[in-house]
């Protein structure tokens, strides 16, 4: 295609020509230099097209500089593959491999560009008009394929992400002339100072400026100032770091890229600053004319940077198009790069040419009161422009000028994004025809070009003043500091005439307002015609400023164009609120090291290793606890394993790991009072050693949790609750005793993980335990149902609770966690004579369904009360108050008929029904009258059984109802919700 | 993100805390009022723009509960209150 570095100038640029770097773009090999960005290296190699546009897939090249160059989107390959990187900010490195995004099959020949040819099918608001029920599915595959930017990497990156906090007195955002000067002011005054800049090199616009400070090149001043800042211990400089979010509390999020190349991809800083100084500068504004996106149309600042910083000539023959005085700064750059200036097209009529052009360029054709209307392209590059002008007699004329570069400047837009994010208000400034910060809401100050000050000297002065003001707010006296003299081409009298768009109206030619989202003037006009005349609606309907651009280049032009069409002043149109992030931030950067299992770590019982070694398939039991689901023996299916485990519990003896059960110790003289308030039933008069099952409601009168509470001794109670509900129970109880009833004298201590629990259950449990080495009397007389004793088993301290969740004789043996595994092993060993069988949560579930015991998240789904569950007997009539009492009574008055817990027997005794299947009559499927909450195969009954909730269910026992399992009706007989040992004899043995 | 003053731990990041809603009168004052008054107490939050007194808990720190006055419009925290 082109010779290596064919566009590179012989001299100049801040690149290290002794260090060449090999890289690949779209599969081709290129060479660049240390100090290049990927964009500058590609430009130097004559690569015109970097990407394809979002909607129309038009070829796009370098247009702008830094993070404002939203069209230079590429994907980086390699161990830290990443989509959606801007080539204009990606430092070049040896071996870099990148490719274009959003194009298929290649950047040169793109199938998607048929969208350009047939663009009437993609009008503004296309998504809103198309993605409506019921037909949007038809378009979805097409749009999904074509839309979007890069591809999500298939593998996790090899490098890491980190996130950290920091605090400072003064945070300066932006390290251009104003930012550096403000930081120096703060730092020299002794304030803890941080300064961040999004580019790899600090200096901002000074980096490519020809201005001199104190009689020396600007870059010398930058280097000296940065050295001085870095020499102070109380200063932190972060380069290649974007301040992307300004949050409440004066906290700014900063994403620092590649702190350790390859290893650390990015580090997200959350910085609380006592005072923030925004020195974010200004971004040059494009001009809207037709085909203004063709590669070769560049902003003046981007051309100047290419020449000065990277030693690249982005063209050979240029036309300059401007509406403001700053553009004329480009003339010496063009000369230096040997770029012929074909013409200057200035929309203003009253320009004093001698002062802006100077003698050297007196031969250049200058067209005043003129505008470019159309870019003519040849292939994928500018070939010329059509200019519209008036001659001296006021006669209109049109002419064609050949060129391969169009240098554009539509003025400067202050970077007010962070100020707006901080909830500060904006004001339209007629002097610069753009928006500037108005009222700050947080401790925010603005210095430099963000305020509309466009001269270097003015920025430096503004920085010292602003720095001093910010320091005084935190009681620091600003140290005296001298402001450097600025000479040579400072821009002291910036003047701009707003020029929102040239309106030639060529058919099928597009004039882009938002390059990232492919929004054109036509789109804005159409939206206004359709009645969208409010900026917030226009933004969303047209997607202006909603893409990668985030309003950096598009917003002010869009507002100007809207104002023009609504015939009002831009200030009346107003701006939308800028939102974080300012530039794209990787999710990884926000998450930091909290990824994978570390985000919410699992909790393991002391017996976990044993379970795993014995074939346990681990389940999550709730609250991140891992527990065996079932133990699979060789050659056994899951159902066979569950049936085997159930059989053991019903016929001899099983053992399960109940450690995750939520446990709290409650002490204090008002404990009984508290229990009476949090449970529906009465806990008065519980004696040491006794326990009671309780239902806990929320204040809305709905069941929240259930569990058994034992009185361990005179002043100590142990409350147990569901595994999954324990965190919520803890929060609720904690709030209750601290906030709602602070007068209660109680202390609640969560002890869940302090105790391991091995529960021995089954008709032979007592026999087995009687053969353990223990001082405990296991007899029914001494240790009856719902009682607790403390003792020793094989030298280990234990607390034994007679509670049953299986319906069998059951002993919950608790021991301090450190003995958990030892106790478990001992019980398994002793149990061999009784064929003891470890059981998991699947078998537990079957056994509890057979008994009709409640399970949170099955039957207790957050909208049932105790009476619905058939536990009306547990609602005390003697208590004046308990949590939920009042609300439950009110609800019951207005809704006497509710869904009630019932048992269900499938007519086909082998039929299993999905949990959650709705119950509804055949002719009224839309009207559910309940649902199946659990359905299992019961080994003892040799059939399937189910539990469910059914409207007025208890009075419908014996009826047949239909459950709809994925559209299929299944007949069920309504029964009492208990299928086994209805009298409860076995668990009281 | 706010910095919140825990009476035990000093200024800590908001993510360590849990907001437990606006300070209300104790439930005992409403439990035997009319149905309407009780439901109003339970469900109606005044969702005020301006200064609001709230309960906060330093859940991922010391566990202390305290009251805090906060401006819901500006997020400014007026003062900590340790006597809750
Ligand atoms: Zn604390």
């Amino acid at each position: 295609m082109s010779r290596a570095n064919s566009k590179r100038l012989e001299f100049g640029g801040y690149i290290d020509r002794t260090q060449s770097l090999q890289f690949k773009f779209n599969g081709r090999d290129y060479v660049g230099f240390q100090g290049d960005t990927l964009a500058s290296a590609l430009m130097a190699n004559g690569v015109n097209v970097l990407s394809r546009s979002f909607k129309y897939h038009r070829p796009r090249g370098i247009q702008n500089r830094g993070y404002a160059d939203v069209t230079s989107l590429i994907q980086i390959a390699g161990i830290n593959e990443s989509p959606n990187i801007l080539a204009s900010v990606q430092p070049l490195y040896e071996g870099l491999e990148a490719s274009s995004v959003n194009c298929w099959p290649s950047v040169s020949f793109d199938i998607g560009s048929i969208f350009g040819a047939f663009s009437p099918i993609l009008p503004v608001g296309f998504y809103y008009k198309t993605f409506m029920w019921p037909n949007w599915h038809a378009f979805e595959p097409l749009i999904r394929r074509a839309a979007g930017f890069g591809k999500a990497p298939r593998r996790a990156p090899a490098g890491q992400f980190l996130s950290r906090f920091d605090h400072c007195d003064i945070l300066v955002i932006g390290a251009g002339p104003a930012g550096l000067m403000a930081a120096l002011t703060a730092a020299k005054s002794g304030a803890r100072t941080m300064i961040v800049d999004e580019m790899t090199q600090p200096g901002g616009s000074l980096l490519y400026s020809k201005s001199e400070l104190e009689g020396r090149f600007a870059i010398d001043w930058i280097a000296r100032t940065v050295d001085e800042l870095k020499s102070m211990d109380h200063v932190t400089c972060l380069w290649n770091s974007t301040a992307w979010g300004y949050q409440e509390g004066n906290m700014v999020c900063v994403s620092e890229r590649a702190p350790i190349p390859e290893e650390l991809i990015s580090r997200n800083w959350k910085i609380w600053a006592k005072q923030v100084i925004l020195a974010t500068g200004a971004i040059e504004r494009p001009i809207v004319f037709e085909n203004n996106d063709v590669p070769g149309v560049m902003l003046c600042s981007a051309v100047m940077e290419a020449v000065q910083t990277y030693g690249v000539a982005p063209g050979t023959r240029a036309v300059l198009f401007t509406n403001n005085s700053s553009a004329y700064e480009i003339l010496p750059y063009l000369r230096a790069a040997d770029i012929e200036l074909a013409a200057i097209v200035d929309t203003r009529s009253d320009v004093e040419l001698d002062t802006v052009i100077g003698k050297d360029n007196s031969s250049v054709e200058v067209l005043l009161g003129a505008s470019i209307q159309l870019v003519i392209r040849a292939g994928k590059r500018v070939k010329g422009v059509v200019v519209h002008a008036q001659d001296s007699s006021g006669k209109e004329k049109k002419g064609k000028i050949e060129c391969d570069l169009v240098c554009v400047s539509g003025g400067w837009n202050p970077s007010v994004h962070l100020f707006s994010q901080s909830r500060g208000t904006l004001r339209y400034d007629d002097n610069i025809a753009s928006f500037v910060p108005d009222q700050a809401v947080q401790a925010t100050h603005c210095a430099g070009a963000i305020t509309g000050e466009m001269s270097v000297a003015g920025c430096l002065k503004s920085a010292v003043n602003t720095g001093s003001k910010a320091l005084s707010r935190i009681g620091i006296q600003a140290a005296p500091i001298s402001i450097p003299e600025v000479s040579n081409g400072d821009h002291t009298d910036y003047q701009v005439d707003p020029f929102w768009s040239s309106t030639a109206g060529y058919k099928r030619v597009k004039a882009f307002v938002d390059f990232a989202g492919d929004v054109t003037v036509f789109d804005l006009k159409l939206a206004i015609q359709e009645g969208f005349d409010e900026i917030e609606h226009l933004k969303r309907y047209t997607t202006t400023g909603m893409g990668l651009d985030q309003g950096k280049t598009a917003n002010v032009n869009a507002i100007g164009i809207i104002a023009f069409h609504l015939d009002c002043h831009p200030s009346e149109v107003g701006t939308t609120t800028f939102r974080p992030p300012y530039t794209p931030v990787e999710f990884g950067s926000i998450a930091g090291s909290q990824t994978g299992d570390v985000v919410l770590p699992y909790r393991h019982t002391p017996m976990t290793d044993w379970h795993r070694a014995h074939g346990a398939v681990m389940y999550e039991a709730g609250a991140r606890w891992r527990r065996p689901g079932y133990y699979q023996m060789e050659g056994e299916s899951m159902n066979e394993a569950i049936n085997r485990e159930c059989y053991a519990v019903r016929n001899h003896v099983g053992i399960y790991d109940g450690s995750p059960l939520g446990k709290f110790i409650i002490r204090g003289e008002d404990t009984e009072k508290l229990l009476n308030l949090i449970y529906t039933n009465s806990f008065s008069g519980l004696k040491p050693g006794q326990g009671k099952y309780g239902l806990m409601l929320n204040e809305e009168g709905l069941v929240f949790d259930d569990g058994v509470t034992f009185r361990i001794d005179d002043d100590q109670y142990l409350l147990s609750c569901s595994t999954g509900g324990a965190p919520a129970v803890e929060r609720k109880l904690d709030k209750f005793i601290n906030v709602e009833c602070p007068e209660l004298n109680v202390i609640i201590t969560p002890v869940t993980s302090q105790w391991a629990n091995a529960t021995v259950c089954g008709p032979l449990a007592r026999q087995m335990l009687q053969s353990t080495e223990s001082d405990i009397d296991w007899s029914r007389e001494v240790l009856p149902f719902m009682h607790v004793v403390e003792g020793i088993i094989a030298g280990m301290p234990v607390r034994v609770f007679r509670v049953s969740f299986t319906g069998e004789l059951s002993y919950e043996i608790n021991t301090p966690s450190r003995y958990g595994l030892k106790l478990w092993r001992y019980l398994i060993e002793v149990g061999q004579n009784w064929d003891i069988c470890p059981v998991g949560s699947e078998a537990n579930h079957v056994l509890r369904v057979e008994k009709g015991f409640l399970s949170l998240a099955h039957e207790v789904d957050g909208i049932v009360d105790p009476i619905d569950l058939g536990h009306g007997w547990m609602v005390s009539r003697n208590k004046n108050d308990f949590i939920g009492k009042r609300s439950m009574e009110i609800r019951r008055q207005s809704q006497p008929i509710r869904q009630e817990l019932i048992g269900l027997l499938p007519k086909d005794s082998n039929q299993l029904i999905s949990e959650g299947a709705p119950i509804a009559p055949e002719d009224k499927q839309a009207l559910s009258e309940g649902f199946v909450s659990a359905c299992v195969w019961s080994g003892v009954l040799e059939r399937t059984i189910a539990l469910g909730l059914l409207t007025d269910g208890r009075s419908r026992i014996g009826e047949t109802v239909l459950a709809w399992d994925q559209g299929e009706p299944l007949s069920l007989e309504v029964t009492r919700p208990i299928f086994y040992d209805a009298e409860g004899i076995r668990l009281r043995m | 993100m706010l910095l919140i003053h825990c009476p035990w731990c000093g200024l800590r990041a908001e993510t360590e805390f849990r907001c437990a809603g606006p300070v209300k009168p104790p439930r005992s004052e409403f439990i035997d009022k009319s149905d309407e008054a009780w439901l109003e107490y339970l469900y109606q939050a005044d969702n005020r723009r301006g200064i609001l007194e709230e309960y906060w808990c330093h859940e991922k720190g010391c566990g202390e509960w305290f009251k805090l006055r906060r401006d819901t419009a500006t997020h400014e925290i007026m003062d900590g209150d340790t006597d809750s």
Side-chain angles (χ1 to χ4, degrees), chain A residues 12 48 82 139 165 173 182 263 351 353 403 409 549 648 657 674 696 702 780 791 801 896 979:
Chain A
N48 275 330
S82 181
F139 285 91
F165 293 111
I173 299 169
E263 278 176 47
V351 180
L353 287 177
C403 62
S409 178
D549 176 62
D657 182 352
L674 174 73
M696 198 183 281
L702 301 166
R780 182 181 179 178
F801 301 90
F979 302 97

Coordinates of all heavy atoms in Angstrom, one line a residue, chain A residues 12 48 82 139 165 173 182 263 351 353 403 409 549 648 657 674 696 702 780 791 801 896 979:
Chain A
G12 N 12.0 16.3 13.5 CA 11.0 16.8 14.4 C 10.2 15.7 15.1 O 10.3 14.6 14.8
N48 N -5.0 5.2 6.1 CA -6.1 6.2 6.1 C -7.3 5.8 7.0 O -7.9 6.6 7.7 CB -6.7 6.3 4.7 CG -6.0 7.3 3.9 OD1 -5.4 8.3 4.4 ND2 -5.9 7.1 2.6
S82 N -8.2 -6.5 24.4 CA -9.2 -5.6 24.8 C -9.9 -4.9 23.6 O -9.2 -4.5 22.7 CB -8.5 -4.5 25.7 OG -9.5 -3.6 26.1
F139 N -35.9 -8.1 13.4 CA -34.8 -7.3 13.1 C -33.6 -7.7 14.0 O -32.5 -7.3 13.6 CB -35.1 -5.8 13.3 CG -35.9 -5.3 12.1 CD1 -37.3 -5.3 12.2 CD2 -35.3 -4.7 11.0 CE1 -38.1 -4.8 11.2 CE2 -36.1 -4.2 10.0 CZ -37.5 -4.3 10.1
F165 N -8.2 3.4 47.3 CA -8.6 4.6 47.8 C -7.5 5.6 48.0 O -6.3 5.1 48.2 CB -9.3 4.5 49.1 CG -10.6 3.7 49.1 CD1 -10.7 2.5 49.7 CD2 -11.7 4.3 48.5 CE1 -11.9 1.8 49.6 CE2 -12.9 3.6 48.4 CZ -13.0 2.3 49.0
I173 N -7.2 18.1 38.1 CA -7.5 17.2 37.0 C -7.2 17.9 35.7 O -7.7 18.9 35.3 CB -9.0 16.8 37.0 CG1 -9.3 16.0 38.3 CG2 -9.3 15.9 35.8 CD1 -10.7 15.8 38.6
A182 N -1.6 25.1 38.6 CA -2.5 25.0 39.8 C -1.9 24.0 40.8 O -1.8 24.3 42.0 CB -3.9 24.6 39.4
E263 N 1.4 -6.6 33.3 CA 1.0 -7.2 34.5 C -0.2 -6.6 35.1 O -1.2 -7.3 35.5 CB 2.1 -7.2 35.6 CG 3.2 -8.2 35.4 CD 4.3 -8.0 36.3 OE1 4.0 -7.8 37.5 OE2 5.5 -8.1 35.9
V351 N -12.2 39.7 8.9 CA -11.0 39.3 9.5 C -9.8 40.1 9.0 O -9.8 40.4 7.8 CB -10.7 37.8 9.1 CG1 -9.4 37.3 9.6 CG2 -11.9 36.9 9.5
L353 N -6.7 40.2 7.7 CA -5.8 39.2 7.2 C -4.3 39.4 7.5 O -3.6 38.5 7.9 CB -6.0 39.1 5.7 CG -7.3 38.4 5.3 CD1 -7.5 38.4 3.8 CD2 -7.4 37.0 5.9
C403 N -7.6 19.0 -2.8 CA -6.7 18.9 -1.6 C -6.8 17.4 -1.1 O -7.7 16.7 -1.5 CB -7.1 19.8 -0.5 SG -8.8 19.5 0.0
S409 N -11.5 23.9 12.1 CA -11.7 24.4 13.5 C -13.0 25.1 13.6 O -13.2 26.1 13.0 CB -10.5 25.3 13.9 OG -10.8 25.7 15.2
D549 N -18.5 9.1 22.1 CA -18.2 10.5 22.2 C -18.6 11.2 23.5 O -17.9 12.0 24.0 CB -19.0 11.2 21.0 CG -18.8 12.7 21.0 OD1 -17.7 13.1 20.9 OD2 -19.8 13.4 21.2
A648 N -32.1 -44.9 54.6 CA -31.3 -45.0 55.8 C -31.9 -44.3 57.0 O -32.0 -44.8 58.1 CB -29.9 -44.5 55.6
D657 N -24.5 -33.0 57.9 CA -23.8 -31.9 58.4 C -24.7 -30.7 58.4 O -25.1 -30.1 57.4 CB -22.6 -31.6 57.4 CG -21.7 -30.5 57.8 OD1 -22.1 -29.7 58.8 OD2 -20.7 -30.3 57.1
L674 N -37.8 -10.0 74.3 CA -37.4 -9.9 72.9 C -38.0 -11.1 72.1 O -38.6 -10.9 71.0 CB -35.9 -9.9 72.7 CG -35.4 -9.9 71.2 CD1 -35.6 -8.6 70.5 CD2 -33.9 -10.3 71.2
M696 N -41.2 -16.4 62.8 CA -40.8 -14.9 62.9 C -41.5 -14.2 61.7 O -41.4 -14.7 60.6 CB -39.3 -14.9 62.8 CG -38.7 -13.6 63.2 SD -36.9 -13.6 62.9 CE -36.3 -14.5 64.3
L702 N -45.9 -11.0 57.5 CA -45.7 -12.1 56.6 C -44.5 -12.9 57.2 O -43.6 -12.3 57.8 CB -45.4 -11.6 55.2 CG -46.5 -10.8 54.6 CD1 -46.1 -10.1 53.3 CD2 -47.7 -11.7 54.3
R780 N -35.1 -41.1 76.5 CA -36.2 -40.2 76.3 C -36.6 -39.5 77.5 O -37.0 -38.3 77.5 CB -37.4 -41.1 75.8 CG -38.6 -40.2 75.4 CD -39.7 -41.1 75.0 NE -40.9 -40.3 74.7 CZ -42.0 -40.8 74.2 NH1 -42.1 -42.1 74.0 NH2 -43.0 -40.0 74.0
G791 N -22.6 -32.0 77.3 CA -21.8 -33.1 77.7 C -20.5 -33.3 76.9 O -20.0 -32.4 76.3
F801 N -29.0 -31.1 70.9 CA -30.4 -30.6 70.8 C -31.3 -31.7 70.2 O -30.9 -32.3 69.2 CB -30.5 -29.4 69.9 CG -29.6 -28.3 70.3 CD1 -28.3 -28.1 69.8 CD2 -30.2 -27.3 71.1 CE1 -27.5 -27.1 70.2 CE2 -29.4 -26.2 71.5 CZ -28.1 -26.1 71.0
P896 N -60.1 -12.4 53.7 CA -60.2 -13.6 54.5 C -59.9 -14.9 53.7 O -59.5 -15.9 54.3 CB -61.7 -13.6 54.9 CG -62.4 -12.6 54.0 CD -61.3 -11.7 53.4
F979 N -47.6 -36.4 54.9 CA -47.7 -37.6 54.2 C -47.2 -38.8 55.0 O -47.3 -39.9 54.7 CB -47.0 -37.6 52.9 CG -47.5 -36.5 51.9 CD1 -46.8 -35.3 51.9 CD2 -48.6 -36.7 51.2 CE1 -47.2 -34.3 51.0 CE2 -49.0 -35.7 50.3 CZ -48.3 -34.5 50.2

